[in-house]
Amino acid sequence: MLAFTLRRAIQAVGVMVAVGIIAFSMFRFAGDPVSQMVSIDTSGAEREAIRKTLGLDDPVIVQFGRYINNAARFRFGTSYQFRQPVTNLLMERMPATLELAICATIFAMVFGILMGVYSALRRDTWLAHLFQAISLIGISLPTFLIGILLIYLFSVTLGWLPSFGRGEVVRIGWWTTGLLTLSGLKALIMPSITLGLFQMTLIMRLVRAEMLEVMRTDYIRFARARGLTTRAIHFGHALRNTLVPVITVAGLQFGSVIAFAIITETVFQWPGMGLLFVQAVQNVDIPIMAAYLMMVSLIFVTINFVVDILYTIVDPRLRSTVSRAH
Amino acid sequence: MTEPVLSVRNLQVEFASRRGTLRAIDGVSFDIAKGEVLGVVGESGAGKSVTGLSVIGLIDPPGRIAGGEIYLAGRRIDNLPPEEMRRVRGKRIGMIFQDPLTSLNPLYRIGDQIVETIRTHLNLSEQAARRRAIDLLAEVGIPAPEKRIDGYPHEFSGGMRQRVVIALAICAEPELIIADEPTTALDVSVQAQIISLIKRLGRDHGTAVMLVTHDMGVIAETSDRVAVMYAGRVAEIGPVQDVVKNPLHPYAKGLMGAIPTLAGDDKRLVQIPGSMPRLSAIPRGCSFNPRCAFAFDRCRVERPEPLARGAQSVACHLYDSVPAESAA
Amino acid sequence: MSEAVVPHSAEKRTAAAPGWFRRVLDSDLLYSFRRSRITMIAAAVTLLFFLLAIFASVLSVQNPFDPAQLQLMNSRISPLWTADGQSPFLLGTDEQGRDVLSAILYGMRISLLVGVLGVVFSGALGILLGLTAGYFGGAVDGLIMRIADVQLSFPAILIALLINGIAKSVLGNKLDEMSMLGVLVFAIGLSFWVQYARTVRGSVMVEKNKDYVAAAQLIGLPAPVIMLRHVLPNTMGPILVIATINLALAIITEATLSFLGSGMPETMPSLGTLIRIGNNYLFAGEWWIVAFPGFALAALILSINLLGDWLRDALNPKLR
């Protein structure tokens, strides 16, 4: 178990170093950092001075070491457009993105599992067919179109929900939350659905397929032969065995949800990291782009690592093979 | 003797398929008395397993019981509503499947699976059910049951898992156990242990056992009576000694000829030519006629019905109005 | 049985065609196509969209991106069937007096162009890298496949956005419409190569150890050439499926980038750009400026996805 954890940890660090190289290359080679920081009439001498203070004359490997060192302490330099430390900008916006991503994931899990279980157990009912149709639409409609459609329905036509922003937020330490006010909660509804819909269809398809697969297994047949109630078979045995892979996938998808939030945040002008990133791409604000890449990668790698470890805890078979492997 | 524990009368099972309805079981009848072990033998596809599944009510669509009756201790069970049939399964009929490796849910401790089954059928507290589970594990021969009860299925060997499966099948003291190829997936060395365990349990508790297998050796060792099935019908049924020593049906003769004996006589094993017909292409008349060395015109036209010959019963035209000697 | 389904005339005509093409016809592909009504509708819609895009300039009432043809007095006209509709603007006009239908036709052309070129580029890149990885094996294989693994765990849109941003930074102000189109194709290509590479690599691994490769080498033929002839026909089916599904993904990605403001500029808009523009007028009640481009995009993607699903099922006998 320890060897397994260690191996996974080394892999995770490897990926982070690779991402660090990409982020550093972006920062260093994609355009000249100095020219981004000065105005056109800055003299050559002044440019040289800035170049020196940034250490851009040092050997590349030294610069890379410095970049990684800083990144490890969450220092990503100064934004070209905001003239503020990138870290501050990201931290300010992180609660908005995380709250949105968590709400979207909960929405996706709850409805995805319910719809998936229903369409697996009642395969030929009209409701199951409706769910299948919804899943096809959820996969085919681009996220931003769904957002626009929801805004048109619930903001423009019905006027029930706000079309942009987080509503009123409450500050708790450095964290800001929209979960404690009515307007904050209302503002969360449409962005969460927009962001979660794709995951929901994914989870629904997965639950349905897994459940149908599990229902065909010998141990379900044996459970029936033991005279267990339908309820115990469906929800005790079949669902539990279905949920192991489903939770893994949903967990692994959480990183994607954060990345996909870029689109949702733009549609709803949600003040999160994604919106910051989109603006950075438009304005060629490389330090923010590089920092965002590092942050999202870190989240990805952490989740992958945690899910791998959790998986072995949930599934007893893996636990012993893993501990036997070393 | 009183009423048989299980009585199957003229059972018919059909499967709907794209090519029309296939009849997997066509007019099967047999009884099993209290404490008796009935061996059901035949090639794969003969309908042995389907018969077992019909008795316990686990024929799933597209299959269905199309005709006949099944009685458990005199009470008809093939037409029970699903919920009542569920109460019969596990409580009055226990079932053992072929592959112990896949019969247990890998995510639950074996103790949880046994306790769950006990509490479904018997009104016991959690603790009482757990004590009973430990006793059961001890009875089926699992060493240190009070420790092993908290193990997961993957921590048990194949033979030990089959013992757990048997414990699950008998945990509510059923009147009938259906064992569907209980030893096929096991090592040869373990097979004998499992067979004698099933035999002992049947004897100790007076349980009737329906033992489905394609292994004549297992039947000869365990069963009191044997039913030979072919293409969804019972070809011959009778006391195991009679059928093994003096098989009447040409197919049963072939089957017995195909058992190697330890006596070591250098006669070559007899082989039955050809293979069993597919369900979609069962021949007219006696379904065995294309492979039968004794087949005559009547066999190709008319289906033979079971005829009593002493303690045996055989479905073959050779025994109809023809002296037995000429056939043997 | 399947041979009987194929008409003899078709067999004759394809006798000279490459092996995979014949196999496609020999399979019950056509048969399953004619049996699925929804697939036929999807194919018809896809074909219609391609034709509309190709003949956009003939079908449009105006060139929506030639400022000389736009008149401000025609701005914000609602669709023809509403009370304020005006001929010839079937689906209404936008802020600048641009005919929405014409804009959709021209935008569809850009969307499809970027999508098709992106798929071609990612396919070429993926096949090349897959062949390289499979043929050389060892460290080269390890490197390429590890990159593929890591990239696969990141959403394509994030990668495309990053590449887009880097390209902007490197090229600076030199980005005109056509080079933006190139950047999009490049970004999409780099985002979607992994699946092709994996498929081709797997097939190369299988073929590599077969006797004919050694035999070919013995008579002096270069192994890569020989393998290419065997590997490509074997992988054509799966690649076709990946390409179809990726076409939908590429169009979505382009539309999303354009919607986010990092794609096609307003002077040469794709469907995504049109939706971005139209989104600004949603609150003013001018729903048609965004609704019709959105509907066109959704219908296009849905049709291509349905075609892809059918193709996958039809070419994979295991699933039937």
Side-chain angles (χ1 to χ4, degrees):
Chain A
M1 187 73 198
L2 188 71
F4 173 76
T5 312
L6 207 66
R7 203 164 55 233
R8 282 297 144 101
I10 291 169
Q11 273 174 12
V13 171
V15 171
M16 279 317 291
V17 170
V19 172
I21 292 174
I22 294 169
F24 170 71
S25 315
M26 276 169 60
F27 176 72
R28 184 63 189 81
F29 302 117
D32 180 11
V34 176
S35 65
Q36 294 284 350
M37 292 181 190
V38 297
S39 52
I40 308 163
D41 47 285
T42 315
S43 70
E46 278 177 273
R47 283 170 191 253
E48 269 316 300
I50 296 172
R51 189 168 285 279
K52 267 239 159 57
T53 51
L54 285 175
L56 293 176
D57 292 331
D58 297 334
V60 170
I61 189 76
V62 174
Q63 291 186 42
F64 176 64
R66 189 159 50 221
Y67 185 83
I68 292 292
N69 189 16
N70 281 331
R73 284 178 285 160
F74 294 101
R75 286 190 211 146
F76 296 102
T78 308
S79 154
Y80 296 155
Q81 41 169 346
F82 295 100
R83 312 271 163 202
Q84 279 180 45
V86 170
T87 312
N88 293 2
L89 291 167
L90 279 175
M91 292 310 269
E92 225 170 78
R93 287 162 173 78
M94 190 190 281
T97 297
L98 283 182
E99 267 181 16
L100 175 59
I102 290 168
C103 288
T105 302
I106 293 172
F107 162 78
M109 294 266 276
V110 169
F111 284 88
I113 291 173
L114 283 178
M115 288 162 76
V117 168
Y118 183 87
S119 43
L121 296 180
R122 303 256 181 283
R123 234 186 318 171
D124 286 320
T125 57
W126 65 271
L127 200 55
H129 289 298
L130 179 72
F131 289 163
Q132 289 288 95
I134 289 176
S135 92
L136 188 66
I137 291 167
I139 281 181
S140 288
L141 273 188
T143 308
F144 64 93
L145 268 186
I146 294 167
I148 292 173
L149 194 68
L150 288 179
I151 290 179
Y152 185 70
L153 272 180
F154 295 102
S155 300
V156 179
T157 310
L158 298 169
W160 289 352
L161 296 167
S163 67
F164 66 92
R166 285 183 84 187
E168 247 177 277
V169 292
V170 178
R171 185 168 283 276
I172 304 168
W174 64 274
W175 188 275
T176 57
T177 179
L179 297 173
L180 299 175
T181 63
L182 185 65
S183 74
L185 287 173
K186 273 169 89 173
L188 255 173
I189 296 174
M190 287 200 297
S192 302
I193 293 175
T194 307
L195 182 55
L197 201 64
F198 183 76
Q199 312 294 328
M200 184 194 84
T201 56
L202 208 69
I203 291 173
M204 179 195 138
R205 285 178 169 218
L206 188 68
V207 168
R208 180 176 180 275
E210 284 287 330
M211 191 105 175
L212 287 175
E213 188 79 37
V214 169
M215 289 301 287
R216 275 195 291 269
T217 57
D218 281 355
Y219 58 81
I220 293 298
R221 216 160 55 115
F222 187 53
R224 291 174 62 200
R226 284 190 274 147
L228 299 189
T229 58
T230 314
R231 192 193 168 89
I233 291 169
H234 285 169
F235 299 102
H237 288 264
L239 187 59
R240 171 154 174 194
N241 287 58
T242 301
L243 283 186
V244 176
V246 169
I247 286 171
T248 316
V249 169
L252 289 175
Q253 287 286 321
F254 187 70
S256 306
V257 171
I258 288 179
F260 273 118
I262 295 170
I263 305 164
T264 310
E265 288 181 8
T266 308
V267 176
F268 291 95
Q269 291 298 301
W270 189 263
M273 298 192 296
L275 191 58
L276 184 72
F277 177 68
V278 166
Q279 287 162 353
V281 171
Q282 279 163 6
N283 300 317
V284 200
D285 197 340
I286 297 277
I288 292 184
M289 286 165 63
Y292 180 82
L293 176 66
M294 294 279 272
M295 291 290 276
V296 170
S297 308
L298 183 66
I299 294 171
F300 264 110
V301 167
T302 313
I303 289 169
N304 270 316
F305 181 71
V306 171
V307 167
D308 270 346
I309 303 299
L310 274 184
Y311 201 77
T312 58
I313 293 171
V314 176
D315 195 328
R317 282 165 299 180
L318 276 171
R319 206 184 309 152
S320 63
T321 47
V322 163
S323 55
R324 247 183 264 137
H326 65 140
Chain B
M1 275 281 278
T2 51
E3 218 158 9
V5 173
L6 179 70
S7 178
V8 174
R9 287 284 152 263
N10 197 25
L11 179 68
Q12 297 185 334
V13 178
E14 290 177 349
F15 285 82
S17 85
R18 253 170 292 171
R19 278 182 237 100
T21 308
L22 303 178
R23 185 158 289 188
I25 302 290
D26 192 4
V28 163
S29 303
F30 60 86
D31 292 337
I32 308 180
K34 192 166 160 30
E36 182 184 54
V37 179
L38 174 76
V40 179
V41 72
E43 290 168 69
S44 40
K48 305 166 302 206
S49 295
V50 176
T51 308
L53 289 174
S54 313
V55 170
I56 202 165
L58 283 184
I59 297 286
D60 284 327
R64 67 185 189 93
I65 295 180
E69 296 114 49
I70 300 169
Y71 296 90
L72 184 67
R75 185 163 161 242
R76 190 162 170 192
I77 58 167
D78 60 288
N79 57 359
L80 286 181
E83 180 56 23
E84 273 181 61
M85 191 59 210
R86 177 189 68 71
R87 277 189 241 273
V88 171
R89 281 197 292 270
K91 174 137 178 66
R92 300 183 57 197
I93 309 176
M95 181 128 190
I96 302 163
F97 283 112
Q98 177 172 347
D99 190 353
L101 300 185
T102 55
S103 289
L104 298 168
N105 189 332
L107 296 189
Y108 283 87
R109 295 169 201 280
I110 60 148
D112 294 342
Q113 301 190 44
I114 301 176
V115 167
E116 177 189 30
T117 315
I118 293 173
R119 297 198 63 197
T120 301
H121 297 297
L122 307 174
N123 192 12
L124 287 181
S125 71
E126 186 83 31
Q127 283 81 11
R130 191 180 158 86
R131 273 196 303 277
R132 186 179 165 84
I134 293 173
D135 292 344
L136 279 166
L137 289 175
E139 186 173 0
V140 297
I142 295 209
E146 61 286 343
K147 232 167 44 204
R148 301 289 279 169
I149 188 168
D150 289 321
Y152 286 96
H154 71 271
E155 297 165 352
F156 291 76
S157 69
M160 283 297 152
R161 271 194 241 187
Q162 194 63 304
R163 287 172 194 267
V164 174
V165 168
I166 293 170
L168 276 161
I170 61 166
C171 69
E173 296 260 339
E175 297 140 71
L176 171 69
I177 294 175
I178 299 172
D180 188 356
E181 306 266 7
T183 59
T184 310
L186 299 175
D187 288 347
V188 182
S189 56
V190 184
Q191 286 185 0
Q193 299 170 16
I194 296 297
I195 286 299
S196 64
L197 173 65
I198 292 174
K199 203 173 169 181
R200 175 168 59 88
L201 291 172
R203 199 180 51 225
D204 291 357
H205 298 264
T207 316
V209 177
M210 175 176 166
L211 178 65
V212 174
T213 177
H214 64 265
D215 188 341
M216 243 349 266
V218 168
I219 300 254
E221 219 175 285
T222 340
S223 308
D224 303 305
R225 291 194 311 134
V226 57
V228 178
M229 286 191 70
Y230 186 83
R233 295 173 62 82
V234 174
E236 181 169 346
I237 186 168
V240 75
Q241 286 309 317
D242 298 353
V243 176
V244 169
K245 293 252 170 62
N246 179 30
L248 297 176
H249 195 282
Y251 177 67
K253 285 182 204 287
L255 212 55
M256 300 314 146
I259 313 174
T261 53
L262 279 176
D265 41 34
D266 44 326
K267 269 192 297 176
R268 288 196 54 187
L269 291 177
V270 185
Q271 220 184 350
I272 307 174
S275 59
M276 208 174 60
R278 276 178 304 167
L279 289 181
S280 51
I282 290 184
R284 235 160 74 88
C286 172
S287 49
F288 188 60
N289 83 68
R291 300 170 74 186
C292 183
F294 310 99
F296 55 102
D297 289 347
R298 191 177 170 196
C299 303
R300 287 181 263 276
V301 196
E302 190 189 327
R303 242 180 37 176
E305 295 303 325
L307 301 162
R309 303 287 295 186
Q312 285 156 273
S313 162
V314 57
C316 181
H317 291 312
L318 291 172
Y319 302 93
D320 194 11
S321 73
V322 181
E325 287 77 26
S326 68
Chain C
M1 241 175 64
S2 62
E3 290 93 314
V5 178
V6 178
H8 286 286
S9 58
E11 217 160 63
K12 250 178 221 159
R13 259 189 284 117
T14 57
W20 70 267
F21 187 63
R22 253 187 82 183
R23 249 189 306 163
V24 164
L25 277 188
D26 280 350
S27 74
D28 2 34
L29 203 62
L30 279 174
Y31 176 71
S32 89
F33 178 74
R34 292 199 352 231
R35 262 188 23 173
S36 163
R37 189 181 303 165
I38 199 145
T39 309
M40 288 170 73
I41 294 172
V45 171
T46 309
L47 189 70
L48 176 73
F49 279 144
F50 267 94
L51 289 176
L52 287 177
I54 291 168
F55 297 107
S57 49
V58 185
L59 298 165
S60 305
V61 296
Q62 50 169 235
N63 177 354
F65 308 111
D66 176 7
Q69 294 190 25
L70 305 182
Q71 282 172 320
L72 276 179
M73 56 171 290
N74 285 339
S75 72
R76 303 186 180 195
I77 295 171
S78 59
L80 199 54
W81 60 86
T82 60
D84 302 325
Q86 271 179 39
S87 184
F89 307 115
L90 181 62
L91 301 180
T93 63
D94 72 1
E95 171 92 333
Q96 292 162 38
R98 200 158 28 198
D99 176 40
V100 169
L101 179 58
S102 306
I104 290 175
L105 295 181
Y106 277 78
M108 182 96 73
R109 181 188 267 184
I110 303 294
S111 289
L112 283 173
L113 188 65
V114 175
V116 169
L117 289 180
V119 165
V120 169
F121 179 50
S122 63
L125 186 69
I127 291 172
L128 195 71
L129 286 173
L131 284 174
T132 313
Y135 183 68
F136 290 107
V140 180
D141 179 36
L143 183 69
I144 293 177
M145 284 302 125
R146 186 44 58 88
I147 293 175
D149 286 345
V150 173
Q151 188 176 327
L152 210 59
S153 63
F154 288 87
I157 187 73
L158 179 62
I159 294 163
L161 264 173
L162 274 173
I163 293 169
N164 202 283
I166 295 168
K168 266 189 192 166
S169 169
V170 174
L171 298 175
N173 298 329
K174 284 165 288 187
L175 268 180
D176 59 4
E177 291 110 354
M178 286 320 282
S179 52
M180 194 61 224
L181 198 143
V183 168
L184 284 175
V185 170
F186 183 71
I188 289 170
L190 282 189
S191 309
F192 289 108
W193 62 274
V194 174
Q195 271 184 299
Y196 300 98
R198 287 190 161 180
T199 309
V200 172
R201 173 182 173 271
S203 176
V204 173
M205 295 295 225
V206 171
E207 297 292 315
K208 200 158 83 169
N209 297 321
K210 288 197 176 160
D211 287 342
Y212 74 82
V213 177
Q217 276 172 319
L218 274 180
I219 59 169
L221 279 174
V225 174
I226 283 296
M227 279 170 60
L228 210 60
R229 280 207 199 135
H230 284 83
V231 168
L232 285 188
N234 282 342
T235 48
M236 233 1 124
I239 285 179
L240 205 61
V241 174
I242 299 172
T244 312
I245 292 170
N246 274 7
L247 179 60
L249 283 175
I251 292 172
I252 291 182
T253 306
E254 184 279 322
T256 306
L257 286 173
S258 294
F259 176 79
L260 295 177
S262 298
M264 294 307 293
E266 296 187 16
T267 46
M268 192 172 158
S270 68
L271 288 176
T273 322
L274 291 176
I275 294 167
R276 183 163 84 106
I277 300 169
N279 195 25
N280 298 329
Y281 300 102
L282 199 55
F283 272 89
E286 281 129 19
W287 52 271
W288 59 89
I289 307 178
V290 62
F292 295 118
F295 181 76
L297 179 65
L300 177 64
I301 294 166
L302 189 64
S303 308
I304 297 176
N305 266 342
L306 285 169
L307 269 184
D309 277 356
W310 160 76
L311 202 59
R312 187 189 54 211
D313 295 348
L315 285 182
N316 191 348
K318 267 182 252 162
L319 291 176
R320 267 181 297 173

